[in-house]
């Protein structure tokens, strides 16, 4: 999610998994929510289909180039929280566990993960895994890498993942044991993200402040090559890689901030492909005849974040009325170029893949309807005595997916008797909405696209627990908090997701955020290359290693 609105990680630090607004990303460092692809919209949006994969590569390549909407701020895994850094880092550094292109979790650098008791996780590492610098991975490297995330002096973006960790110790040459303060069903899932990366301890210590910007020594299928600041970054194939050899000898990432320039580069062949395609470019790329535009499963939902429950929004009837009055279909057509699905759920169905049919039904079937109902919405406003009340929504020129959603909320409120005002926030200040309470002063709502960093709805639903970092409205309900604790203590996926379905229903019933649309992942490949995953797995899977010759 390019031009991103910060995204927020359920239980991690606010700086953790955020993708900044693309237009301003180059100058930001930390955010908490994230918005989808950069760019405007197309008035002639076509229907779309989700692709499970792109065709497998038929051979190797000397090199391929990839468009990125912004340059990474760092490749230090402890601060890899946004799209640019993770899209590159997923090919260079590896974690204890790993995502697959199908968004499932499998062993990574740990060939086995065991849970001998509710507060203990034991990771048995693969033997003979080489770092790019020539060293061999040991348990000492893994312990050091995880402890870096926990060190307050490092201000790691993933520190919240470790808030329930009591200790990380070496219990064998290739064994690491994590002791938890209490059962935590989300912790092991985060070990497939950048939170679980293992780096060469000696290299990190030797590099000092240059680690992540001038030096990165990990175990992935690619090693860091030349980094031409402001222009490009090169990855070189690592021939001593323990896993499947990468198909391309080199990958070149081109930093192209302007959406139109990025699209032109794809059409001309200057770059071979890219993720996070600008919405206004869908039709150009489809009609260009130079390659294929694919859409895949995502863990992203477009929402309206409610930042206060003081004033009119403190009455759930007003929140419900705004949700009922919102023209979601119109927003998807205009703001997402028709590529998206209206929803009344805060989390998308892909996050519920491990749930039973009954649980999925409970999580989605009884939610408030997503269809517009102005008559009922007006009645709720009258019942609440809120006619003429003022509500302020933040907007920004970051992209039409933001500005058009803000306008849609204003239109919805106006039509049901509210006085909805827009407050324009500069692109380079939008991320402050996620980190600075002062930036949210005078703002009741703002558009946010949130993506999950684990394939578990709890990554988002935990935001409404009392005291959670992104619980800006300070919602507090003992029943909700109790369910959150039960979820955290439940490792069995079926039982855990059944509990999470209750959380989803409560969050929807209370309209803690206003859900708007599910937004798929987009990827363009020219006719020279193929093999890239279509899903959001590129965040934590070495996707570039699969890209090869299409001919």
């Amino acid at each position: 999610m390019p031009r991103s609105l910060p995204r927020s990680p359920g239980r991690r630090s606010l700086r953790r998994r955020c993708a900044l607004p693309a237009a301003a990303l180059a100058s930001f460092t930390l955010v908490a929510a994230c918005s989808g692809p950069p760019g405007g919209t197309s008035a002639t949006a076509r229907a779309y289909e989700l692709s499970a994969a792109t065709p497998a590569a038929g051979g190797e390549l000397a090199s391929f180039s990839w468009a990125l909407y912004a340059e990474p701020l760092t490749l230090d895994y402890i601060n890899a929280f946004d799209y640019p850094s993770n899209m590159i880092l997923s090919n260079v550094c590896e974690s204890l566990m790993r995502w697959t292109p199908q968004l499932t979790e499998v062993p990574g650098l740990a060939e086995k993960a065991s849970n001998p008791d509710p507060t203990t996780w034991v990771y048995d590492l693969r033997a003979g895994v080489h770092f790019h610098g020539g060293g061999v991975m040991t348990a000492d490297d893994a312990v050091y890498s995880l402890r870096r995330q926990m060190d307050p002096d490092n201000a790691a973006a993933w520190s919240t993942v470790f808030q329930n960790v009591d200790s990380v110790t070496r219990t064998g040459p290739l064994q690491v044991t994590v002791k938890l303060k209490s059962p935590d069903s989300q912790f092991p899932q985060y070990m497939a993200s950048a939170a679980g990366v293992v780096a060469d301890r000696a290299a990190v210590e030797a590099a000092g402040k240059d680690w992540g910007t001038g030096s990165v020594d990990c175990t992935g299928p690619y090693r860091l090559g030349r980094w031409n600041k402001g222009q490009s970054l090169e990855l070189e194939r690592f021939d001593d890689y323990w896993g499947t050899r990468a198909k391309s000898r080199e990958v070149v990432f081109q930093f192209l901030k302007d959406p139109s320039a990025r699209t032109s580069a794809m059409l001309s062949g200057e770059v071979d492909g890219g993720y996070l395609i600008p919405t206004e470019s869908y039709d150009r790329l489809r009609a260009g005849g130079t390659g294929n535009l694919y859409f895949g499963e995502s863990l992203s939902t477009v929402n309206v974040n409610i930042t206060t429950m003081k004033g009119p929004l403190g009455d759930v009837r007003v929140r419900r009325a705004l949700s009922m009055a919102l023209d979601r279909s119109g927003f998807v057509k205009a703001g997402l170029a028709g590529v998206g699905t209206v929803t009344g759920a805060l989390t998308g169905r892909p996050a519920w893949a491990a749930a039973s049919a009954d649980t999925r039904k409970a999580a989605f079937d009884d939610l408030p309807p997503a269809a517009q109902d102005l008559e009922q919405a007006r009645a709720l406003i009258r019942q609440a005595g809120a006619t003429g009340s003022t509500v302020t929504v933040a907007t920004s020129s970051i992209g039409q997916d933001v500005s058009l959603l803000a306008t849609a909320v204003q239109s919805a409120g106006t039509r049901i008797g509210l006085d909805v005002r827009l407050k324009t926030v500069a692109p380079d200040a939008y991320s402050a909405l996620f980190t600075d309470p002062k930036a949210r002063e005078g703002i009741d709502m703002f558009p946010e696209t949130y993506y999950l960093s684990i394939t578990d709805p709890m990554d988002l639903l935990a935001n409404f627990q009392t005291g959670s970092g992104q619980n800006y409205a300070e919602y507090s309900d003992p029943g909700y908090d109790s369910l959150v604790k039960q979820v955290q203590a439940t490792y069995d996926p079926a039982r855990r997701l059944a509990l999470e379905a209750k959380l989803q229903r409560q969050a929807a019933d209370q309209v803690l955020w206003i859900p708007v649309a599910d937004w798929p992942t987009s990827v363009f490949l020219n006719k020279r290359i193929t093999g890239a995953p279509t899903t959001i797995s590129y965040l934590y899977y070495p996707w570039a290693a699969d890209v090869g010759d299409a001919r």
Side-chain angles (χ1 to χ4, degrees):
M1 307 172 194
R3 197 186 2 130
S4 79
L5 292 177
R7 68 159 164 161
S8 338
R11 302 169 59 239
R12 303 178 227 170
S13 95
L14 286 184
R15 302 179 293 173
R16 215 180 12 111
R17 3 175 214 132
C18 309
L20 305 168
L25 220 188
S27 61
F28 294 158
T29 51
L30 302 172
V31 251
C34 62
S35 99
T41 61
S42 165
T44 58
R46 309 175 191 175
Y48 72 98
E49 294 182 358
L50 296 182
S51 300
T54 62
E60 295 195 351
L61 294 168
S63 178
F64 73 89
S65 56
W66 204 255
L68 259 183
Y69 71 91
E71 183 172 11
L73 300 171
T74 179
L75 290 180
D76 186 345
Y77 64 92
I78 69 171
N79 284 314
F81 60 87
D82 62 357
Y83 297 103
S85 55
N86 279 319
M87 196 183 299
I88 295 173
L89 195 69
S90 60
N91 300 288
V92 177
C93 292
E94 298 179 295
S95 301
L96 293 173
M97 305 300 286
R98 172 191 285 185
W99 273 7
T100 69
Q102 294 74 39
L103 300 178
T104 59
E105 187 178 297
V106 297
L109 291 177
E111 61 182 2
K112 178 184 176 184
S114 54
N115 185 209
D117 63 67
T119 58
T120 303
W121 280 91
V122 179
Y123 295 94
D124 292 300
L125 307 179
R126 298 181 187 276
V129 173
H130 287 82
F131 290 112
H132 300 152
V136 177
M137 180 183 69
T138 69
D140 291 327
D141 297 300
V143 169
Y144 174 79
S145 297
L146 297 184
R147 286 180 178 173
R148 283 191 76 223
Q149 303 273 20
M150 301 168 62
D151 186 344
D153 292 340
N154 291 334
W158 296 86
S159 60
T160 311
V161 169
F162 296 85
Q163 64 185 359
N164 194 32
V165 173
D166 186 54
S167 64
V168 179
T169 57
R170 174 186 183 275
T171 48
L174 290 172
Q175 187 178 82
V176 176
T177 297
V178 178
K179 289 285 188 178
L180 304 173
K181 300 172 186 175
S182 60
D184 189 341
S185 59
Q186 274 70 63
F187 176 81
Q189 298 183 71
Y190 283 117
M191 291 301 96
S193 71
V197 162
V198 177
D200 185 339
R201 174 177 183 171
V204 176
E205 293 178 335
K209 293 182 179 180
D210 287 337
W211 175 261
T213 55
S215 174
V216 178
D217 193 352
C218 288
T219 63
Y222 286 98
R223 69 199 319 167
L224 182 62
R226 289 185 299 174
W227 189 342
N228 303 309
K229 297 299 175 73
Q231 298 180 0
S232 64
L233 182 148
E234 299 173 7
L235 300 183
E236 302 168 350
R237 183 166 59 200
F238 180 45
D239 290 329
D240 285 333
Y241 181 55
W242 63 271
T244 303
R245 169 188 166 101
K247 291 181 171 59
S248 182
R249 189 170 66 245
E250 180 186 62
V251 184
V252 180
F253 291 91
Q254 299 283 353
F255 309 138
L256 301 169
K257 298 179 183 179
D258 180 72
S260 179
R262 198 159 61 253
T263 302
S264 295
M266 293 180 192
L267 289 170
S268 69
E270 178 185 342
V271 295
D272 294 305
Y275 284 111
L276 303 167
I277 304 303
T279 54
E280 76 271 29
S281 299
Y282 292 165
D283 283 351
R284 286 182 65 195
L285 292 173
R286 284 165 165 156
T290 61
N292 296 295
L293 178 62
Y294 300 91
F295 298 100
E297 291 282 16
S298 173
L299 297 171
S300 304
T301 51
V302 181
N303 310 286
V304 179
N305 189 315
I306 294 174
T307 64
T308 181
M309 289 190 181
K310 298 175 182 177
L313 294 180
D315 191 322
V316 68
R317 291 172 295 184
V318 176
R319 303 197 299 272
R320 288 172 181 161
L322 274 169
S323 181
M324 286 181 180
L326 187 62
D327 181 6
R328 291 171 171 82
S329 296
F331 167 73
V332 168
K333 183 177 180 180
L336 304 183
V339 179
T341 306
V342 298
T343 185
L346 287 172
T347 62
R349 291 182 182 274
W352 297 82
S356 68
D358 286 344
T359 293
R360 290 195 297 273
K361 180 178 176 65
F364 289 93
D365 287 6
D366 296 326
L367 300 181
Q372 188 179 44
D373 188 342
L374 292 172
E375 183 177 349
Q376 179 63 23
R378 292 187 185 107
L380 286 173
I381 293 297
R382 289 194 296 270
Q383 291 171 19
T387 301
S389 295
T390 299
V391 176
T392 301
V393 183
T395 187
S396 178
S397 60
I398 286 175
Q400 291 187 29
D401 53 299
V402 177
S403 60
L404 289 183
L405 181 52
T407 300
V409 173
Q410 182 183 46
S411 174
T414 300
R415 296 181 72 181
I416 60 176
L418 294 174
D419 178 11
V420 180
R421 302 178 182 181
L422 299 182
K423 181 176 181 179
T424 300
V425 178
D428 61 356
Y430 202 87
S431 68
L433 295 176
F434 303 92
T435 58
D436 185 358
K438 292 183 178 180
R440 295 190 296 272
E441 290 181 358
I443 292 174
D444 301 302
M445 298 181 287
F446 63 87
E448 170 183 5
T449 299
Y450 189 111
Y451 64 82
L452 307 182
S453 281
I454 56 176
T455 52
D456 188 324
M458 194 61 180
D459 192 60
L460 184 151
L461 296 172
N463 284 324
F464 308 117
Q465 182 180 21
T466 301
S468 177
Q470 216 188 340
N471 186 359
Y472 305 139
E474 299 182 345
Y475 175 77
S476 182
D477 179 78
Y480 195 96
D481 293 347
S482 177
L483 275 173
V484 169
K485 291 180 180 178
Q486 291 179 57
V487 169
Q488 292 172 343
T490 304
Y491 286 116
D492 178 72
R495 291 176 51 222
R496 183 175 71 246
L497 288 164
L499 292 170
E500 292 181 39
K502 296 179 182 180
L503 290 174
Q504 171 136 300
R505 290 199 303 274
Q506 181 170 340
D509 178 68
Q510 294 298 305
V511 199
L512 303 181
W513 290 352
I514 299 176
V516 180
D518 293 323
W519 197 354
T521 295
S522 57
V523 59
F524 176 79
L525 304 176
N526 68 16
K527 293 181 179 180
R528 194 175 77 89
I529 66 171
T530 190
T534 58
T535 67
I536 199 172
S537 61
Y538 62 77
L539 290 173
Y540 310 121
Y541 170 79
W543 60 271
D546 293 346
V547 177
D549 196 338
R551 293 168 287 190

